[in-house]
Amino acid sequence: MRYAAVTDRLADLGGARWEIHALARALKAEGRDLIELTIGEPDVPTPKALIDVAHAAMKRGRTGYSNGRGEGGLVSALADRYSARLGRPFSRDQFLCLPGTQTALFLTMMALTGPGDEVLMGDPAYATSDGVIAASGAVSVPVPLRPENGFRMRADDVLAALTPRARVLFLNSPHNPTGAILTRDDIAALGKIARDHDLWIVADEVYEDMVYPGATFVSPLSFPELAERTVVTSSISKSHAAPGFRSGWCVGPAEFCARALPLSETMLFGNQPFIADMTEAALRAPSPVAAGMVTRFSRRAALLHAALDGVAGLAVNRPDAGMFALVDIRATGLSGRDFALDLLKHESVAVMPGESFGTTLAGWVRLTLTQPDDVTRAAADRIARHAARLQKA
């Protein structure tokens, strides 16, 4: 039987990148006692107050159809939030509400790119980013995010990758998997390239509320001169520990939203009203859980650095945000995948190979910071022991 070309484009961009995680889950199901440091899921439950809002909304009948843009209360809350944060007015027609950041990115890329177009994207990148680009027929063009530059995208590297087919510059700050944050100067330089070469800027900012003490987050939306070419996506998945509710949005020029709205209506025809009410409540008050997660994640990043950096040739990258830390394991002589498989086999610790996120992280592994301190410390001890064993061998 014949299938659409999109199935071929996405064939190798799905579950294969989560091989170690899937193997670890299978071993746990068989009764294996192991430490899982693969998936970036908040370490606290969704706040009860938000669940109560969703429950109350369902009880009063907020379970019918919505619309392609989003429920009015939520759209107003988004406009108020971005107007207050960025110090300039945002109108309701600059937002589209969707089930999570992933869907928002899919919609955005489908609206902005087509077959043969190029999207300049950092390498490494979140494991599903290639897929949301390839779905439209566009091509990901990797821009190396170099460790010596703090994993921040540099304008010179973008220019080196630029061709006349480029349509979008895709940013992710705070960044997954590195925890890097683009500075104001970084964005100014990247924005100049976008203006000079008529590129859209698409920014995934889902970790905006996960910034560690001493670091500063800046959005390209902060630059008025970039406003008409910037689309930002985000959600409450991380900031409010609500990944399973799948509630996100995109914000951009009103013209972009008007052009993308029929596509949104074709895909989903709106998100669930009771979840929209919960999201509105979430956005109209400070998150009750974000600050605690930031404190714990930054503490665990420091714990891993103290326990592993310089041990048996390992090097730990200190993140500025998010819920992950990177460990350079190249001194072991193994790839990230082989190290992860070996670590799971001998020490029952599951980590993500750097190769799941791009070629720049070949010989690295990513560790989640969402396990309790004592579990994180135990995992660090096992990783150190394993690296020392490999070094001796």
Side-chain angles (χ1 to χ4, degrees):
M1 299 299 292
R2 290 178 290 180
Y3 295 89
V6 66
T7 62
D8 294 323
R9 293 196 296 267
L10 300 181
D12 298 321
L13 299 178
R17 299 189 178 195
W18 303 98
E19 171 196 15
I20 306 297
H21 173 71
L23 178 57
R25 286 285 170 95
L27 291 172
K28 286 182 72 173
E30 294 172 1
R32 177 94 162 262
D33 182 19
L34 56 83
I35 298 175
E36 187 179 290
L37 301 179
T38 50
I39 292 294
E41 192 145 7
D43 65 344
V44 291
T46 305
K48 181 179 180 300
L50 294 183
I51 294 176
D52 288 345
V53 171
H55 185 213
M58 283 189 283
K59 288 181 69 175
R60 68 173 187 271
R62 295 279 287 150
T63 57
Y65 286 120
S66 182
N67 63 79
R69 185 175 293 277
E71 292 294 294
L74 173 54
V75 174
S76 293
L78 285 164
D80 292 345
R81 169 192 171 100
Y82 279 86
S83 298
R85 285 199 171 192
L86 295 170
R88 61 183 178 86
F90 283 77
S91 62
R92 289 164 49 98
D93 60 1
Q94 290 183 254
F95 297 90
L96 295 173
C97 301
L98 297 132
T101 308
Q102 183 77 8
T103 310
L105 284 172
F106 181 89
L107 172 75
T108 299
M109 291 300 180
M110 290 293 289
L112 299 182
T113 65
D117 292 336
E118 293 181 348
V119 177
L120 299 158
M121 181 179 72
D123 176 358
Y126 180 57
T128 62
S129 296
D130 280 328
V132 296
I133 294 168
S136 74
V139 178
S140 300
V141 177
V143 177
L145 307 181
R146 307 177 193 276
E148 60 268 28
N149 296 331
F151 291 110
R152 302 194 330 268
M153 186 177 286
R154 302 297 289 266
D156 288 348
D157 290 324
V158 173
L159 288 171
L162 191 65
T163 80
R165 293 182 297 277
R167 292 287 299 276
V168 171
L169 177 60
F170 184 20
L171 307 179
N172 176 206
S173 177
H175 188 258
N176 177 6
T178 69
I181 301 175
L182 292 172
T183 68
R184 178 168 288 277
D185 288 345
D186 292 335
I187 296 175
L190 296 171
K192 183 178 186 306
I193 294 173
R195 294 170 67 198
D196 290 347
H197 297 273
D198 193 23
L199 303 177
W200 283 93
I201 296 173
V202 175
D204 175 355
E205 296 181 352
V206 72
Y207 287 99
E208 177 182 359
D209 290 331
M210 297 282 104
V211 175
Y212 297 174
T216 301
F217 167 75
V218 180
S219 171
L221 286 176
S222 301
F223 295 75
E225 67 271 24
L226 301 179
E228 290 307 307
R229 65 178 65 251
T230 298
V231 179
V232 163
T233 64
S234 193
S235 75
I236 61 170
S237 294
K238 310 298 184 183
S239 60
H240 291 78
F245 282 89
R246 313 310 302 138
S247 186
W249 57 86
C250 43
V251 48
E255 181 184 26
F256 162 81
C257 291
R259 295 290 294 269
L261 179 58
L263 178 57
S264 174
E265 291 170 333
T266 302
M267 288 168 54
L268 299 161
F269 215 87
N271 56 355
Q272 302 89 332
F274 63 93
I275 293 180
D277 292 351
M278 169 185 152
T279 307
E280 178 186 355
L283 295 178
R284 290 200 179 280
S287 168
V289 294
M293 284 192 285
V294 166
T295 297
R296 293 189 298 278
F297 298 161
S298 60
R299 183 176 67 236
R300 291 167 194 157
L303 186 160
L304 286 172
H305 188 271
L308 294 176
D309 193 60
V311 173
L314 303 178
V316 179
N317 178 68
R318 291 286 295 269
D320 289 322
M323 51 182 63
F324 307 103
L326 296 175
V327 181
D328 182 350
I329 56 90
R330 286 175 291 179
T332 67
L334 297 180
S335 68
R337 178 180 180 273
D338 288 343
F339 182 89
L341 285 169
D342 211 40
L343 180 67
L344 182 59
K345 176 182 178 181
H346 293 287
E347 294 289 351
S348 296
V349 176
V351 299
M352 287 290 288
E355 292 87 353
S356 292
F357 307 99
T359 58
T360 302
L361 283 187
W364 293 68
V365 293
R366 189 194 77 172
L367 284 60
T368 183
L369 301 170
T370 58
Q371 292 285 4
D373 290 10
D374 58 337
V375 176
T376 301
R377 189 173 293 108
D381 291 343
R382 296 186 194 185
I383 293 169
R385 183 169 63 218
H386 187 60
R389 184 187 304 118
L390 291 171
Q391 186 181 59
K392 186 178 294 185

